[in-house]
Amino acid sequence: MSKIGFDGVFEVSGKNDTVGSETMVAMAGVRDVSTSVSMDTAEVSDRSSAFKLYTQGMVDLETTVEATYNTANTQLMDCIDACIERGYIKIAVLDGPSGQGFTYWAMVTSSDVNQPLTDGMTVSLTFKPVQTYTGAGSLVPPTWTTG
């Protein structure tokens, strides 16, 4: 089924939420969301081939969000605080309400406030996955949610 960007939803947990007790809320004022998935490669060539040969490495996941700057937006302010305080926050990038997409605990690696002279202020946020564990010590990796 074809989707357009207007259907998308960006959800975040509170900055003080913990694994298993997080409450996800759709962030208001989101203008653009982009999730990049790429795979590292490692060269495994030997002299049996004239061509370089590769094997799969780790998968890199990164989400960038641009939102309208609004100090009354609790979710946006939690994300900015998470960047400054080096905290973690859970995010979900979905193709619609109760849709499919990536869900993961992340660190906010950048929080750029943009103040153009001809338009309203925006904030660009970049999220990357972090090692997060349940209380029982199980790793909580990024997941693809299917609604």
Side-chain angles (χ1 to χ4, degrees):
M1 179 170 152
S2 178
K3 296 271 191 172
I4 58 173
F6 297 123
D7 297 329
V9 177
F10 179 72
E11 296 180 345
V12 296
S13 67
K15 69 176 181 177
N16 296 317
D17 286 357
T18 57
V19 175
S21 67
E22 63 273 5
T23 301
M24 303 300 287
V25 177
M27 183 188 289
V30 174
R31 294 180 173 198
D32 292 309
V33 178
S34 175
T35 297
S36 172
V37 180
S38 61
M39 181 178 25
D40 292 334
T41 59
E43 185 184 348
V44 293
S45 305
D46 61 21
R47 295 188 184 270
S48 64
S49 172
F51 297 93
K52 288 185 176 182
L53 304 174
Y54 297 90
T55 190
Q56 298 172 345
M58 300 298 292
V59 176
D60 191 23
L61 176 62
E62 178 179 283
T63 299
T64 303
V65 174
E66 184 173 336
T68 302
Y69 183 80
N70 181 352
T71 57
N73 184 335
T74 303
Q75 291 76 35
L76 177 62
M77 293 298 111
D78 279 355
C79 290
I80 293 171
D81 288 347
C83 183
I84 295 167
E85 297 167 3
R86 300 173 60 141
Y88 301 150
I89 200 158
K90 186 175 182 179
I91 68 168
V93 183
L94 307 173
D95 64 3
S98 301
Q100 61 182 7
F102 281 105
T103 301
Y104 61 96
W105 281 91
M107 61 180 164
V108 185
T109 59
S110 70
S111 171
D112 303 324
V113 177
N114 306 307
Q115 301 174 344
L117 299 176
T118 59
D119 196 8
M121 290 174 59
T122 61
V123 177
S124 295
L125 302 163
T126 303
F127 300 87
K128 291 190 177 190
V130 294
Q131 279 188 331
T132 308
Y133 297 90
T134 65
S138 300
L139 180 66
V140 182
T143 58
W144 179 261
T145 304
T146 56

